[in-house]
Amino acid sequence: MEALAGATEADLEPNWFLAYKGNKLAEWTKYAAIRHALSQVTHHRAQLGVYYRLNDIKVPGSYGPSADDQKF
């Protein structure tokens, strides 16, 4: 968090890449890599919610109560 708080726009412009055994798999700017990672967290959280609902498991709240918590 400290590094991001102190980062300038120019710090996030250089490219970052993901490689496996010398083969470049993906390449983004540092900004796009961070944005992609955060989007993946949201995407997989939503997938987990669907899985829970299909299996009659109450979905826990992420940032407060979920629709399955009838107390709110």
Side-chain angles (χ1 to χ4, degrees):
M1 293 301 289
E2 232 176 85
L4 284 176
T8 65
E9 214 171 300
D11 294 329
L12 300 175
E13 287 176 6
N15 279 4
W16 176 90
F17 65 90
L18 178 66
Y20 177 72
K21 293 186 178 181
N23 296 316
K24 197 180 288 188
L25 303 174
E27 183 172 3
W28 302 280
T29 62
K30 288 182 181 181
Y31 170 80
I34 293 167
R35 184 179 170 126
H36 179 75
L38 293 174
S39 293
Q40 285 298 302
V41 171
T42 304
H43 167 72
H44 289 289
R45 169 70 180 148
Q47 283 186 317
L48 183 60
V50 170
Y51 172 81
Y52 280 174
R53 289 259 160 72
L54 290 172
N55 289 284
D56 295 322
I57 301 169
K58 285 186 176 185
V59 178
S62 294
Y63 306 103
S66 78
D68 293 338
D69 185 1
Q70 297 301 313
K71 295 176 191 171
F72 74 96

